[in-house]
Amino acid sequence: MWARQRGSFIAFNVITLAAALAVLLTHLGDAAANAGSAAFWVMVVLAVLAGTQAFAAEIGPERIRVTIAPTVCFSFAILLTWGLWPAAATQAVACGVIAWRLRRTLFEAAVAAARYTLALGAASAILWLGEPDPFRDNTGSSLATDALSVVAAGLAWLAVYGVLFLGTRLGEGLPWRRALVVVRDQVLFNSALLVLSPVLALAARINVAFLPLAIIPLIAVQRLAQLSSQRENIARQDPLTGLANRTGLRAVYDRLVVGPPTRLGAAEPARPSLIILDLDRFKQVNDALGHDIGDQLLVAVAGRLPRVDPRVGVTARLGGDEFAILARADDPQALAQEVARGLNQPVYLEGLRVDVTASVGVATDEGEGFNALLRHADVAMYEAKQRGDTIATYDVRSDRASPAQLRLLADFRRALEVDDVDRLRAHYQPQVSLSTGRIEAVEALLRWNHPQMGPVNPEDIVSLAEHTPVMVMLTRRMIDRVTAQVAAWNAAGVSLRASLNVSTRDLYSEELIDHLAERIAHHDIPPGQLQIELTESAILADVRRAQAPLRRIADLGVTICLDDFGTGYSSLQHLRRLPISEIKIDKSFIAGMAHNRDDAAIVRSTIELARSLHIRTVAEGVEDDITHKLLAKARCDLAQGWHTARAMPGDQLPAWLAEHDDDGRAA
């Protein structure tokens, strides 16, 4: 398809050139008719000088490059006064000057001159039909007829030039709608120039000395065009660093996505990738050294970022200490590593050494639009910051705000609101005593069966809900389920302690503690049959703040377990200040103790320290007999894992227990 379009584009330009040449050949008689006219040569010089003031502007949100040059008013004035050939020749010379100034090719200059020639030819034909020389001293025609001829000629010029310019832009691969916007702006600009042409023609007839005065309005028109272009550039540029801003980044993305079609048989260009980096500890620099130093640091960082070819991307500052690089890159990860390497060296600002590090997120466009790409790169960047890595690539599984994840969270919220007991349930995994073999406790685990997706991984849904109000709703439902189940077991003669997990958000909620107390009283169960599990990081992140709610829970008679113990690198010193009854040794240590001496040593020492503080120990993730025996030898209290049993619905647990010996020992 591209090959056909490219061929049509070349053919269109060749036809334009041939048609312009044909028009010129039919008007050779005008070539030297006014060679001796001083006014004519003054007009030519002014046209050439106007060509030297040409500039390339980027218009529209797609930043489409167009040429702005006020030469048209002179060539059209020459047409009105001296005919087509002198006008076309003058415009052709001006096109050559413009091409030289803007570093365009000779072919581009020739095609531009051909467009102008055909537009002038159309205007000449209208003048020939109406009034060939509207500015001569003549009583044979009225002023109205003269004015009408000039206006009609100008409209013909605009129509032909607009059509030819549109054909050129379409041939370059620009979509119809955007090409029409560019043509509209060009027609408006040239209309303003054509209005000046009759004034120049009259000045040439009356007194050649008046012609230079036309420079004043032309400078005004040119200046307005430049100011408009500069305003658009400023709107797309960060004033501090000179890089593109968010608006400029969006414009380049739109241009890359709607770029020219790919040549048939050629490899598809790489999809645009976005790299976002956020400086680490930038706020500390601002607070400690002042905003002036902070600004200098931002400028220094901007200077170290790789500059990408404007044809395939852009480097931008999004605001604050956040930068971005958008590019068609075959290996965006390599580009991200180049960014990270560029920031490795310290920056010296006013004699102070400032070490610069950044968290970098990488995302590749998947056709979902600019906002989605920006969000994906942002998610990846925060993932890198959270993990302590330098670079992270976007992974939908870690995106808690993706549309799919948000829909899943909304479905989960609805299940909680209607209390869907058929699909939203608690399963219970037994905990066996390593000294007696009895099942002493269970841990309540969430199970949700989505209507369309089926069983959902509990870790996925908890991670989604954890920082939202949905987490509070989930904890309330789990309290309801567990307290009701414990009461049902008691009625059936099964007495077990049941643990349920609570998040940090729940720990500091007075309402949830009140709800726990109310459910215990409602079902008339001993508080000691309930245990709250909190992760080590949740409690030890702020021990002082955690003391009050933990003490209130303990005052209810509910025991407290420290889950995932060992992952937060905490000290058992903290446990002396907190009402902790049990610690659960993280499965990452348990799984390795059978073949890793270090893990085994950590587990044994943890058990001994806990025993010295009269704290119960639970080993989670026990999946084989060797580990089970090693834990028993180390005098661990309880074991939980597939070696004993998988989690099961509460109503199935009594039957499972019945399969054990009469004394309740595990079979």
Side-chain angles (χ1 to χ4, degrees), residues 20 40 101 131 510 581 627:
F40 170 73
R101 173 175 171 77
E131 179 54 62
E510 294 286 337
S581 301
T627 305

Side-chain angles (χ1 to χ4, degrees), residues 328-350:
R328 288 193 187 278
D330 294 325
D331 189 355
Q333 192 74 15
L335 182 59
Q337 290 170 354
E338 181 184 348
V339 170
R341 285 195 300 270
L343 299 178
N344 275 344
Q345 298 300 317
V347 177
Y348 292 91
L349 302 172
E350 297 187 2

Side-chain angles (χ1 to χ4, degrees), residues 27 30 76 79 83-84 118-130 132 153 156:
H27 289 74
D30 297 336
F76 195 76
L79 172 72
L84 174 61
L118 291 177
L120 290 168
S124 177
I126 296 298
L127 290 173
W128 181 80
L129 291 173

Side-chain angles (χ1 to χ4, degrees), residues 94 149 236 307 348 351 353:
S149 295
R236 289 167 170 78
R307 294 295 188 271
Y348 292 91
R353 170 179 169 144

Side-chain angles (χ1 to χ4, degrees), residues 276-282 319-323 343 357-361 378 381-382 385:
I276 286 183
L277 62 134
D278 182 84
L279 301 184
D280 299 327
R281 301 178 302 279
F282 177 73
D321 60 337
E322 198 169 62
F323 295 84
L343 299 178
T357 59
S359 302
V360 183
D378 218 36
M381 184 268 291
Y382 279 109
K385 193 176 287 290

Side-chain angles (χ1 to χ4, degrees), residues 74 79 86 121 129 170 222 266 283 325 339 366 423 452 587:
F74 295 106
L79 172 72
L129 291 173
L170 292 175
Q222 184 81 345
K283 185 178 184 300
I325 299 174
V339 170
E366 298 295 340
R423 297 188 178 277
Q452 286 79 40
K587 58 186 176 183

